[in-house]
Amino acid sequence: MEGETNNYLRERREMEWRENLRKQIKAKDRTSIERVKMPEERPDDRIKGQVEVNKGLTDEMAVKEARRCLDCLNPTCIQGCPVNINIPEFIKCIEAGNFADAAIVLKDTNALPAVCGRVCPQEVQCEANCFYTLKLKKEPVAIGYLERFAADFERNSGNISLPEVAANNGIKVAVIGSGPAGLSASGELAKLGYQVTVFEALHELGGVLKYGIPEFRLPNSIVDVEINNLKKLGVTFHKNIIIGKTLSFEDLSRQGFKAFFVGSGAGLPGFMNIPGENYIGILSSNEYLTRVNLMGAARPDYDTPVQFGKNVAVIGGGNTAMDSVRTAKRLGAERAMIIYRRSLDEMPARKEEIKHAMEEGIEFMTLRNPVEYIADKNGRVKSIRVQQMELGEPDSSGRRKPVPIEGSEYLLDADLVIVSVGVSPNPLIPQSLPELNVTRWGTIGVDAVSMQSNIPGVFAGGDIVRGGATVILAMGDGKKAARGIHDMLDNTVNKTLQDKSTASS
Amino acid sequence: MNTILRKENLSELVVKLEIEAPLIAQKRKPGHFVIVKIGDKGERIPLTISQADPDKGTITLIVQKVGTTSHKLAALNAGDTVTDLAGPLGHATHIEKVGTVLCAGGGVGIAPLLPIVEAMHTAGNRIISVLGARSKNLIILEKEIRAASDEVIITTDDGSYGQLGLITKGMEEVISKEKVDMAITIGPAIMMKFCSLLTKKFNIPTVASLNTIMVDGTGMCGACRVSVAGKTKFVCVDGPEFDAHDVDFDELLMRLNAYKEQEYSNYQQYKENIKA
């Protein structure tokens, strides 16, 4: 399989147009071009609304950036990509001015390029493995920006290409959850000719892409375009169906589904279990973001309420914490603060998100930890007892462990607290399949290659397996599981045919 | 899908809706709830299923007009559709024969109590139901409750029907004259709190079905969290029924007020809009 891929990549690289392109500019001239800067909305403008912060590259910027790519013989960047996009190929399409072709290359391996171009942590994936990073110690080619550019170009052109789809094989596969893992699995399975039905528990499709990631980082309209593309590939979507509740796995088997992909996500927010955490005005980032992003709570004509805090404290340092604190700022918070128990260096959020948050006036209170909440007489939170921390020895994660400083506690005013300290897997599917192998963290145990659980025919991926990871890792899982499902079903189909022929002979 | 087949006004404030929902009707058991959303800009609210007819493929919801969404739902008529309906959610009631079961339903809480009364009755329990409400017009489903109960006591705050007094008065009357093996209470949080305090005094195991604020109803948001025996639980996936004696009702009452002001102004806006 790997050899096959390498051969394919080499063949593509040796195409005449790629060779010509390589010859046009000397490597030295390529490497002397400076990395493009992403045009952004001004911080004081963007915090007034939900407008997308990154505006996207212009054609000229994209072509110039594409020229930086050396079209390496050994494209290490691809190894950093969980869905193995042929990165040099799509970048060289951009350099050649064939923007639409670049999008086709992306969609060959990635069902949601416009999404990934926006929310993937490229700095620790493809761009971390770019020749510029590894060997030249220079800023990597802006692969993420270019991915977004190509996907946006295609979408805006109104001329959306669809990947090649194998003939419908009539085999029904059920996908549970329409988040990144489910969408990616559906796209792959549809391409392989399966009849895919996606079951979504909520009233909207897209999972975390809709309820979690805010408009200013990933507009919902972009997610909808990607979902519509899947519909064009023949994928059927059903909303408001909770598998394990509305329909059981048995029901689906009876309806003729031959395999299941569970991508039900990390839908159970974690709390810290400290005194006062159930006071009014203290909520999970999942709840806060769902109210604002999915339910439109901040807009006057929507029924769902949300609290507009004056002093908003977000507990945690991940991307979800950044999304929450930046949302609070946009909803008019005077102070929007991050409270994080380690230092900036250990913060798990993407550097870009931290940078954007700082530009927007978010206060970073690092080496701080809440230990208690204090409320007014109505049970509404009014302040946080904060403890100062220092970094001790590295813990099992390799990061230096935060240690409380004795006697350092103080009170901080806060009328809205958003707890963003991680999520656990949603319990509904494991509850409905008692024989399913569930780890002690509540995640579904799967085979690392096929993504199959201990129940034959039941596959899983994304946060229900990982506990809380990224969009792209979920998508990578979905893709792997699609392959696993295909291998299983292909074998059974072949076996059935063999059995039939043996029986008849 | 989700078409309202029949609507009945049980009182000025309470409506009964029979809604086409074949998949939910098949799976629903006593104690289950659904999430309902009206219109594209509506909010998601939990409502306990009162009855279901799997053959007909319908579920029955009983709604008291309180805020915007319940008013919107109550304003729908036969032939209209409920925009979004998802379920059945939560754990079903544990049904078994324990002996004598005291079932206390307050106001619109009588609706979700009915299927539990019926199932506990079928399981062979002696059922004594106590129904309480502010006044006569808020006592609902009396006939249906009577059909599945060995004895029924009714109390109203204003004395307009049954005995004058709170529901706990009716319960105490039962407890004082016979051995009660178990109690079930469903109704406003404040009522369940006092029912629970009463049965605790007599050491009667008691189950309360909690109705909290929810957004998704599937464990995702944690809006519904409640302290049970000192531990935080999610009503949507851990409940909705809990050992009443372990529930921190004061915290529950406090948390129900989380969005009171916004809910009030939203409702005022809704009323303005329907006038216009």
PDB file of all heavy atoms in Angstrom, chain B residues 214-231:
ATOM      1  N   MET B 214     -32.461  22.266  29.602  1.00  0.00           N
ATOM      2  CA  MET B 214     -31.593  21.449  28.758  1.00  0.00           C
ATOM      3  C   MET B 214     -31.406  22.166  27.433  1.00  0.00           C
ATOM      4  O   MET B 214     -32.247  22.966  27.038  1.00  0.00           O
ATOM      5  CB  MET B 214     -32.230  20.092  28.467  1.00  0.00           C
ATOM      6  CG  MET B 214     -32.303  19.162  29.647  1.00  0.00           C
ATOM      7  SD  MET B 214     -32.932  17.552  29.145  1.00  0.00           S
ATOM      8  CE  MET B 214     -33.222  16.841  30.772  1.00  0.00           C
ATOM      9  N   VAL B 215     -30.315  21.865  26.751  1.00  0.00           N
ATOM     10  CA  VAL B 215     -30.185  22.360  25.382  1.00  0.00           C
ATOM     11  C   VAL B 215     -30.273  21.163  24.440  1.00  0.00           C
ATOM     12  O   VAL B 215     -31.257  20.984  23.744  1.00  0.00           O
ATOM     13  CB  VAL B 215     -28.893  23.166  25.150  1.00  0.00           C
ATOM     14  CG1 VAL B 215     -28.880  23.723  23.732  1.00  0.00           C
ATOM     15  CG2 VAL B 215     -28.796  24.319  26.147  1.00  0.00           C
ATOM     16  N   ASP B 216     -29.256  20.295  24.454  1.00  0.00           N
ATOM     17  CA  ASP B 216     -29.291  19.184  23.495  1.00  0.00           C
ATOM     18  C   ASP B 216     -30.068  17.989  24.029  1.00  0.00           C
ATOM     19  O   ASP B 216     -30.708  17.275  23.270  1.00  0.00           O
ATOM     20  CB  ASP B 216     -27.881  18.765  23.102  1.00  0.00           C
ATOM     21  CG  ASP B 216     -27.108  18.258  24.300  1.00  0.00           C
ATOM     22  OD1 ASP B 216     -26.771  19.066  25.176  1.00  0.00           O
ATOM     23  OD2 ASP B 216     -26.873  17.047  24.377  1.00  0.00           O
ATOM     24  N   GLY B 217     -30.000  17.736  25.327  1.00  0.00           N
ATOM     25  CA  GLY B 217     -30.725  16.594  25.890  1.00  0.00           C
ATOM     26  C   GLY B 217     -30.017  15.263  25.710  1.00  0.00           C
ATOM     27  O   GLY B 217     -30.564  14.207  26.017  1.00  0.00           O
ATOM     28  N   THR B 218     -28.775  15.295  25.189  1.00  0.00           N
ATOM     29  CA  THR B 218     -28.065  14.043  24.942  1.00  0.00           C
ATOM     30  C   THR B 218     -26.740  13.958  25.697  1.00  0.00           C
ATOM     31  O   THR B 218     -25.883  13.157  25.359  1.00  0.00           O
ATOM     32  CB  THR B 218     -27.777  13.872  23.433  1.00  0.00           C
ATOM     33  OG1 THR B 218     -26.916  14.953  23.019  1.00  0.00           O
ATOM     34  CG2 THR B 218     -29.044  13.914  22.606  1.00  0.00           C
ATOM     35  N   GLY B 219     -26.555  14.808  26.690  1.00  0.00           N
ATOM     36  CA  GLY B 219     -25.331  14.732  27.490  1.00  0.00           C
ATOM     37  C   GLY B 219     -24.264  15.721  27.089  1.00  0.00           C
ATOM     38  O   GLY B 219     -23.207  15.804  27.706  1.00  0.00           O
ATOM     39  N   MET B 220     -24.532  16.479  26.045  1.00  0.00           N
ATOM     40  CA  MET B 220     -23.490  17.293  25.457  1.00  0.00           C
ATOM     41  C   MET B 220     -23.217  18.597  26.201  1.00  0.00           C
ATOM     42  O   MET B 220     -22.095  19.078  26.199  1.00  0.00           O
ATOM     43  CB  MET B 220     -23.902  17.618  24.037  1.00  0.00           C
ATOM     44  CG  MET B 220     -22.778  17.823  23.095  1.00  0.00           C
ATOM     45  SD  MET B 220     -23.487  18.129  21.483  1.00  0.00           S
ATOM     46  CE  MET B 220     -23.993  19.829  21.677  1.00  0.00           C
ATOM     47  N   CYS B 221     -24.229  19.206  26.804  1.00  0.00           N
ATOM     48  CA  CYS B 221     -24.015  20.578  27.280  1.00  0.00           C
ATOM     49  C   CYS B 221     -23.870  20.709  28.793  1.00  0.00           C
ATOM     50  O   CYS B 221     -23.164  21.578  29.269  1.00  0.00           O
ATOM     51  CB  CYS B 221     -25.109  21.496  26.763  1.00  0.00           C
ATOM     52  SG  CYS B 221     -26.656  21.432  27.663  1.00  0.00           S
ATOM     53  N   GLY B 222     -24.547  19.877  29.553  1.00  0.00           N
ATOM     54  CA  GLY B 222     -24.411  19.986  31.013  1.00  0.00           C
ATOM     55  C   GLY B 222     -25.270  21.067  31.641  1.00  0.00           C
ATOM     56  O   GLY B 222     -25.110  21.370  32.830  1.00  0.00           O
ATOM     57  N   ALA B 223     -26.189  21.652  30.882  1.00  0.00           N
ATOM     58  CA  ALA B 223     -27.083  22.670  31.458  1.00  0.00           C
ATOM     59  C   ALA B 223     -27.971  22.054  32.534  1.00  0.00           C
ATOM     60  O   ALA B 223     -28.400  22.727  33.459  1.00  0.00           O
ATOM     61  CB  ALA B 223     -27.962  23.282  30.370  1.00  0.00           C
ATOM     62  N   CYS B 224     -28.213  20.756  32.421  1.00  0.00           N
ATOM     63  CA  CYS B 224     -29.173  20.082  33.292  1.00  0.00           C
ATOM     64  C   CYS B 224     -28.529  19.523  34.545  1.00  0.00           C
ATOM     65  O   CYS B 224     -29.119  18.706  35.236  1.00  0.00           O
ATOM     66  CB  CYS B 224     -29.823  18.942  32.516  1.00  0.00           C
ATOM     67  SG  CYS B 224     -28.645  17.667  32.037  1.00  0.00           S
ATOM     68  N   ARG B 225     -27.294  19.944  34.869  1.00  0.00           N
ATOM     69  CA  ARG B 225     -26.630  19.245  35.964  1.00  0.00           C
ATOM     70  C   ARG B 225     -27.272  19.566  37.314  1.00  0.00           C
ATOM     71  O   ARG B 225     -27.809  20.638  37.547  1.00  0.00           O
ATOM     72  CB  ARG B 225     -25.126  19.487  35.957  1.00  0.00           C
ATOM     73  CG  ARG B 225     -24.654  20.879  36.161  1.00  0.00           C
ATOM     74  CD  ARG B 225     -23.194  20.960  35.689  1.00  0.00           C
ATOM     75  NE  ARG B 225     -22.558  22.161  36.190  1.00  0.00           N
ATOM     76  CZ  ARG B 225     -22.653  23.338  35.603  1.00  0.00           C
ATOM     77  NH1 ARG B 225     -23.366  23.453  34.491  1.00  0.00           N
ATOM     78  NH2 ARG B 225     -22.060  24.392  36.117  1.00  0.00           N
ATOM     79  N   VAL B 226     -27.223  18.561  38.153  1.00  0.00           N
ATOM     80  CA  VAL B 226     -27.903  18.606  39.436  1.00  0.00           C
ATOM     81  C   VAL B 226     -27.047  17.802  40.412  1.00  0.00           C
ATOM     82  O   VAL B 226     -26.344  16.873  40.008  1.00  0.00           O
ATOM     83  CB  VAL B 226     -29.326  17.998  39.283  1.00  0.00           C
ATOM     84  CG1 VAL B 226     -29.268  16.564  38.790  1.00  0.00           C
ATOM     85  CG2 VAL B 226     -30.105  18.056  40.571  1.00  0.00           C
ATOM     86  N   SER B 227     -27.052  18.204  41.684  1.00  0.00           N
ATOM     87  CA  SER B 227     -26.278  17.450  42.670  1.00  0.00           C
ATOM     88  C   SER B 227     -27.140  16.347  43.279  1.00  0.00           C
ATOM     89  O   SER B 227     -28.214  16.618  43.814  1.00  0.00           O
ATOM     90  CB  SER B 227     -25.774  18.371  43.782  1.00  0.00           C
ATOM     91  OG  SER B 227     -24.856  19.298  43.258  1.00  0.00           O
ATOM     92  N   VAL B 228     -26.665  15.126  43.163  1.00  0.00           N
ATOM     93  CA  VAL B 228     -27.369  13.978  43.727  1.00  0.00           C
ATOM     94  C   VAL B 228     -26.387  13.265  44.653  1.00  0.00           C
ATOM     95  O   VAL B 228     -25.318  12.844  44.202  1.00  0.00           O
ATOM     96  CB  VAL B 228     -27.870  13.025  42.620  1.00  0.00           C
ATOM     97  CG1 VAL B 228     -28.605  11.839  43.222  1.00  0.00           C
ATOM     98  CG2 VAL B 228     -28.768  13.764  41.636  1.00  0.00           C
ATOM     99  N   ALA B 229     -26.731  13.175  45.903  1.00  0.00           N
ATOM    100  CA  ALA B 229     -25.844  12.602  46.923  1.00  0.00           C
ATOM    101  C   ALA B 229     -24.453  13.239  46.841  1.00  0.00           C
ATOM    102  O   ALA B 229     -23.437  12.551  46.917  1.00  0.00           O
ATOM    103  CB  ALA B 229     -25.765  11.081  46.778  1.00  0.00           C
ATOM    104  N   GLY B 230     -24.420  14.548  46.615  1.00  0.00           N
ATOM    105  CA  GLY B 230     -23.160  15.269  46.611  1.00  0.00           C
ATOM    106  C   GLY B 230     -22.372  15.168  45.321  1.00  0.00           C
ATOM    107  O   GLY B 230     -21.302  15.762  45.197  1.00  0.00           O
ATOM    108  N   LYS B 231     -22.898  14.431  44.355  1.00  0.00           N
ATOM    109  CA  LYS B 231     -22.176  14.290  43.085  1.00  0.00           C
ATOM    110  C   LYS B 231     -22.963  14.987  41.986  1.00  0.00           C
ATOM    111  O   LYS B 231     -24.191  14.957  41.976  1.00  0.00           O
ATOM    112  CB  LYS B 231     -22.049  12.807  42.715  1.00  0.00           C
ATOM    113  CG  LYS B 231     -21.025  12.051  43.529  1.00  0.00           C
ATOM    114  CD  LYS B 231     -20.424  10.938  42.640  1.00  0.00           C
ATOM    115  CE  LYS B 231     -19.200  10.323  43.275  1.00  0.00           C
ATOM    116  NZ  LYS B 231     -19.542   9.273  44.240  1.00  0.00           N
TER     117      LYS B 231
END
